[in-house]
Every structure is written in structure tokens, then in C-alpha cells.
Amino acid sequence: MSSYSSSARFDEARRVAIFGGTHGNEMSGVTLVNLWVKNGSEIQRKMVDTKPFITNPRAVEKCTRYVDTDLNRRALFFPTTDGDLPYEVQRAQEINRIFGPKGSPEAYDVIFDLHNTTSNMGCTLILESSKDYFNLQMMNYIKVTDIRLKSLLKASIQLVECCFTSVNIVLCDWFIAGLEVGPQPQGVLRSNIFEAMRVILKHALDFIELFNEGRTGVEFPTCTVEVFRVLERIDYPRDANGNIIAMVHPNLQDGDWEPLNPGDPMFLTFDGKTLHYQGSGTIYPTFINEAAYYEKQQAFVTTRRETLVASAIRKKID
Amino acid sequence: MSSYSSSARFDEARRVAIFGGTHGNEMSGVTLVNLWVKNGSEIQRKMVDTKPFITNPRAVEKCTRYVDTDLNRRALFFPTTDGDLPYEVQRAQEINRIFGPKGSPEAYDVIFDLHNTTSNMGCTLILESSKDYFNLQMMNYIKVTDIRLKSLLKASIQLVECCFTSVNIVLCDWFIAGLEVGPQPQGVLRSNIFEAMRVILKHALDFIELFNEGRTGVEFPTCTVEVFRVLERIDYPRDANGNIIAMVHPNLQDGDWEPLNPGDPMFLTFDGKTLHYQGSGTIYPTFINEAAYYEKQQAFVTTRRETLVASAIRKKID
């Protein structure tokens, strides 16, 4: 039995954007968004305006992560008074004008930012806050209704709460969903990864349609969602000059979301020594050996497994 | 029983070069060569001068395939009279001066060019000619003596004869070995791929040492070697504007070296249609969905399986 009074209330989600090509060599999002720009029938839902959008067209053209600076992480922190701004900073400002600005009546309600990773992460939604009940409910809906994702990726959806600053944060009012799907090399389009991303978007848009439906919308009751909370970033072992001296250990490679216990192998030095995890408790590494994170001095991130309770949600009634 | 008279005779292989970073984002070769530049004891053999060398340092610095043009394929065909040559063309000329020029007494005897691929190809040696008995014998030696490669890659070494023009072709007298190991995303170093490449080089250098040994060297008797002869390059299906409209089919993805028979699935269009192989006989695709070949309009290459007889070889005696 649902209770009107206990549900968290959100405005209808009438304007939805789907960003591809925030990193121009992550081909699932680039390809899907380009397809939907030509023919958007697949992403249309009743009473929802869905806009597919290539966020970094110059990087897409060059099939590179970025041209001047990472649109996803750093672009937003450049001083805006400089005369000659990096391309991605200009572009972030332009995107903000089109889809934001945050807090304005014109701002988009939901933005999906589509990414691929070279890590063996399956499907991952990156949220900014464990209080983001809309996205938590959406993920729960996708997990419950999905029948195809498991066979496509042999893995279920994972949900990560972390401190990464996504390009989305300044662009929409509340609902931010960074979607990572992998493993897929940069510049490559693999059919299973492409289909997995497509299926997630289908379910997510169905969820939004249901949420909006009729005068009162559908109530999504309280649910529990397993999440991985990001703890810290682990660099590769280095020598005194800063050169990498070890690789991710074969036991850890591709083991995203698997427990890493004290004493487990973590790195293998180039001269054959195994370095073990020295922490005091079990952690769950992810983004293991992601290509784009070498320049960020990051071999993987550690996470802790938690179960969150997502409050029931329902749309606001005028 | 070996016969002196029937053996093909080759000069001793006294000068050996190992090239890494011909493509700056193929990390196994980059890492191994950088290690060996610092400490070459692992690659030293009796009476052999082995030189590890980063061929495209600017691309390595940027972790990109190339800066101006592909060193591996096109650099050698630019007109040399231009005042402002692309970086890789200048670099190819410089490399040719150091390790060549072809036919000169100063030219290196053997050059290994280390590459990675995003395709699921295992270990592959790319030769220019089926008459290259030295390399065929070397591959046979590696296959026979190897005990670790199969466990590292769950695949045996493959040997490809093809028409690719490698940077090596102008650089050495006869012995050209382009080594491809994968799957590995660009910009990533995976320990199993790294170790596989290292093991192949170890065996290859052992072979050279044996070949040179003593006054007469060791004779390597006639052997048979399975090779894959490259037939043609297959592009992705495209629309009238040249845009890709399909992906490698999941049944073909990662199936490098597996037979593709008439009627087998080959591509999957973005709207879900399967395109089948329409040829008249069995082929063996490889370089399937290689990241760097999208710009070359190539989804995979087809090959035919053949068994070659490699003549016995022995070093020339003065």
C-alpha cells in the first residue's frame, strides 16, 4: 500500500538530455547519440522532450578523449575571465547555456552522460549523492525490469556514489546520471557494450514516463539499493623519478567490484615481484586499469559496499 | 640427420634492434623498450649487440598512435623533397640512417617491431614473405620451446604473411619481424600481454644466439609452419554518405583466427539486422575490430590458412 504523505516529491521530468561524446573516443555514447540525432523515435516518450546531444564534437571528430582539457573533470574550474579559454571550457559554458543554468526555470530536468571505460565494470551509474532518490529509484527500476543486461555483459548494474565532478553538475537541477559501460577499448565500438547502454537508456526513459504519468504519476515505493561508495584513488607504484614500476596484478585485473582482502595481490612489478594489499579491511576496487586514468596517476579506485534505502518517490502535484 | 648442402645459408645475426613505440599508445612495447634502455641485461646474448629503441618518442610522450602520420604504414611514401616534412617521415629517415640503410654493411641484421592490438589475436608475427625462412624457423623455435605463452594468452602464436608495409622494410637487410600482441586497449598495460611479449622476445633472442653459436652455428632442420595469408580488407557497412551503419557481429567479435563460413553472421546493423558472410569458402578473419583501423576503413582482414615448409637454415661460414 503506498502512502502519499511519505513519498519524496519531485517535479515532473519533462526535459531530458542525453549526452554522448563528452569523451570523444568513447564510442557507444557517440554512436547512440549520433543515431538518435538523425532519428529520435526510439527515445521519445509521452510528454517528455528528449534531446540527444554531442557534447564535445571536436574530440569526437578527432576520436580523442579531449582537445585541450578534460570536459568531464576540469573544464568547469578554469577561471572564466581568461581571454583565450581552452576549447572544452568554452564548450562547457555553451552547454550550460543550452541545458542550464542550474536553478533556472529553463534548466533540463534529467541529463544522462554516456561514457565507456576500458575497465571490466559492466554497467555503472555514477551519482553525486546517496540522497539522490530519483536516480536510486531509477536504477532499482532498471535492475528489476531488466532481462537483457545480464546476458549482454554477464554482470548486473553497479551503482557508485563518488566524489567525481561530472560535467552534469552545473547543468541540471537535480537528476544527474553519469553512465559508464565497459570493458571497451577507446575508439572501438563493441556490440554488447552498445546494446547494454541502449537497453539501460530504454529502461531509464520508461521510468521517467511512468514517473510523469497521468495527474499523479506512478509512486515508486521505498526500496533498498546496493551501492559502492568511493573511498580513495590508488596510484601505480613509482620510482623516485615518478616512473611507473608495476602493473595491475593479473589476479586483480578485470576484477572490478570483486572483494580485495588484506594480503591479496595488487600489483606486479616489472621485475616480477608481487605487491599485496596492505589495508585493514575488505575493499571493492573498480576503474581498474582504465586507460584514461594513467595521466591522472590512478590505477584504480577503492570502494566500500553499502546498502542504501531510497525513499519512495512521486511527482509533485500542482 | 641434417644436411649441410640443403640448408639455406644466412649471415650471422650480430646486430639486433628492438623497436617499441612505433605507435605511441601501444604500451607493451613502449614499456619493455624503456625498461631495456635502462637495463639491457635481459636482452643481451653472446656475441649479439641488441639495441632497444623508441621509434616514435613524440607519440609515446602524447600516448597517441602518431603525431602527424602513421609511422608504420604511410611515412615512407611521402615525397622526401618537401621542405616541411611530417614528423614521422623525418623520424623514419633518421631511423633508416641509424639502423640501415638497406643493403649497406652497417645495416642491422634483425629488427623486431613491437605492437599491440585491441583485437583478440594473441601473439602474431607479421612477415613480408613466405620465403623468409629465418623468421619462419624462429617462429617454429618459439612455438616448440614455449611453455608459458599458452597459459598467458590461452592461445598459441599465430603467424601471418601479409602485404602490410611495416616501417622495418627499409631498415634491415632481410629479417623483419612485426610482433602484434593483444587484446589490449590503447594506452593500457595489461600484465598478461606484457609478459607474453617479453617471453616471445626471450625465445627469439635465444634462437638468434643458437643460430650464431660457434664456428658453424646450430642447424635448424626443415619444418612446417602454419600461416595465415592475408587476402583482403573488409570495411564496415556504410550508408550513402559514408557513415558506418553496423558493428562487428557478437558471434564474430573476438573470434580472430576462427573459421568464418559462408552464411555465418558478420555484422549487426544499428537497427538490429544481421549481415552474413556471402563468400564462397571458409576464411579466417583477424584484426577484428581493431581501434586503429576505423580510420583506415577496415573492420577486419580475411586470411587463408596454409602450411608452409621452411627450409633448413644454418649460418654462412666464411
Side-chain angles (χ1 to χ4, degrees), chain A residues 31 35 38 118 185-191 194-195 198 243 247-250 253-254 268 270 289 291 294, chain B residues 31 35 38 118 185-191 194-195 198 243 247-250 253-254 268 270 289 291 294:
Chain A
T31 307
L35 280 177
K38 282 186 203 149
T118 64
Q186 296 173 345
V188 166
L189 185 68
R190 289 178 66 97
S191 58
F194 174 88
E195 293 293 346
R198 192 174 203 168
N243 299 310
M247 307 167 278
V248 170
H249 193 280
Q253 178 70 51
D254 301 329
L268 182 64
F270 297 138
N289 212 354
Y294 278 78
Chain B
T31 307
L35 280 178
K38 279 186 206 149
T118 64
Q186 296 173 345
V188 166
L189 184 68
R190 289 178 66 98
S191 58
F194 174 88
E195 293 293 346
R198 192 175 202 168
N243 299 311
M247 305 167 280
V248 170
H249 193 279
Q253 178 70 51
D254 302 329
L268 181 65
F270 296 139
N289 211 356
Y294 278 78

Side-chain angles (χ1 to χ4, degrees), chain A residues 45-59:
Chain A
R45 296 294 184 277
K46 275 180 291 191
M47 306 292 286
V48 181
D49 173 22
T50 308
K51 186 174 176 65
F53 189 79
I54 294 288
T55 38
N56 195 337
R58 284 198 201 164

Side-chain angles (χ1 to χ4, degrees), chain A residues 45-210:
Chain A
R45 296 294 184 277
K46 275 180 291 191
M47 306 292 286
V48 181
D49 173 22
T50 308
K51 186 174 176 65
F53 189 79
I54 294 288
T55 38
N56 195 337
R58 284 198 201 164
V60 169
E61 176 69 26
K62 291 185 159 191
C63 195
T64 186
R65 185 174 176 88
Y66 54 81
V67 176
D68 291 331
T69 188
D70 197 324
L71 181 58
N72 198 30
R73 305 273 187 273
R74 284 180 292 178
L76 309 169
F77 302 106
F78 273 77
T80 55
T81 49
D82 282 357
D84 192 16
L85 290 174
Y87 168 69
E88 277 81 6
V89 178
Q90 296 179 44
R91 186 66 181 159
Q93 294 174 350
E94 193 179 340
I95 293 166
N96 196 30
R97 281 193 297 274
I98 301 171
F99 296 95
K102 183 175 177 175
S104 74
E106 300 80 28
Y108 271 61
D109 302 309
V110 181
I111 294 181
F112 296 100
D113 191 21
L114 307 185
H115 290 265
N116 291 122
T117 172
T118 64
S119 304
N120 187 30
M121 288 170 62
C123 300
T124 305
L125 187 78
I126 298 179
L127 306 183
E128 301 292 320
S129 160
S130 55
K131 304 291 183 199
D132 183 350
Y133 297 138
F134 185 89
N135 267 322
L136 288 172
Q137 286 283 0
M138 182 163 67
M139 288 312 294
N140 185 59
Y141 175 85
I142 295 170
K143 284 186 97 153
V144 169
T145 56
D146 177 67
I147 47 169
R148 288 190 61 210
L149 280 175
K150 283 201 179 74
S151 68
L152 284 166
L153 287 173
K154 295 184 180 137
S156 179
I157 292 172
Q158 306 293 347
L159 204 148
V160 181
E161 184 196 9
C162 73
C163 54
F164 294 159
T165 304
S166 155
V167 70
N168 302 335
I169 196 166
V170 296
L171 303 177
C172 66
D173 266 345
W174 320 297
F175 305 144
I176 302 153
L179 184 60
E180 287 277 2
V181 190
Q184 182 171 269
Q186 296 173 345
V188 166
L189 185 68
R190 289 178 66 97
S191 58
N192 63 329
I193 304 294
F194 174 88
E195 293 293 346
M197 189 177 271
R198 192 174 203 168
V199 167
I200 291 171
L201 263 292
K202 178 206 168 329
H203 291 319
L205 293 169
D206 289 349
F207 169 85
I208 291 169
E209 187 175 54
L210 280 172

Side-chain angles (χ1 to χ4, degrees), chain A residues 25 62-66 118 186 244 289-296, chain B residues 21-28 30-31 34 54 56-67 87-88 116 184-189:
Chain A
N25 54 10
K62 291 185 159 191
C63 195
T64 186
R65 185 174 176 88
Y66 54 81
T118 64
Q186 296 173 345
I244 289 175
N289 212 354
E290 157 59 42
Y293 293 166
Y294 278 78
E295 71 174 19
K296 298 177 199 301
Chain B
T22 297
H23 298 135
N25 54 11
E26 296 176 2
M27 300 308 291
S28 305
V30 170
T31 307
N34 275 332
I54 293 289
N56 196 336
R58 284 199 200 163
V60 169
E61 176 69 28
K62 291 184 160 190
C63 196
T64 185
R65 185 172 175 88
Y66 54 81
V67 175
Y87 168 68
E88 277 82 5
N116 291 122
Q184 182 170 269
Q186 296 173 345
V188 166
L189 184 68

Side-chain angles (χ1 to χ4, degrees), chain A residues 121 158-161 226-232 234 252 255-262 264 266 277 281-288 300-306:
Chain A
M121 288 170 62
Q158 306 293 347
L159 204 148
V160 181
E161 184 196 9
E226 185 183 73
V227 304
F228 292 84
R229 188 183 295 272
V230 170
L231 301 176
E232 60 177 330
I234 306 297
L252 178 58
D256 302 72
W257 314 118
E258 298 292 327
L260 185 73
N261 295 304
D264 283 350
M266 196 161 66
Y277 170 52
T282 300
I283 52 169
Y284 294 82
T286 194
F287 278 112
I288 297 170
F300 58 89
V301 298
T302 66
T303 74
R304 184 174 67 212
R305 233 161 93 167
E306 291 181 8

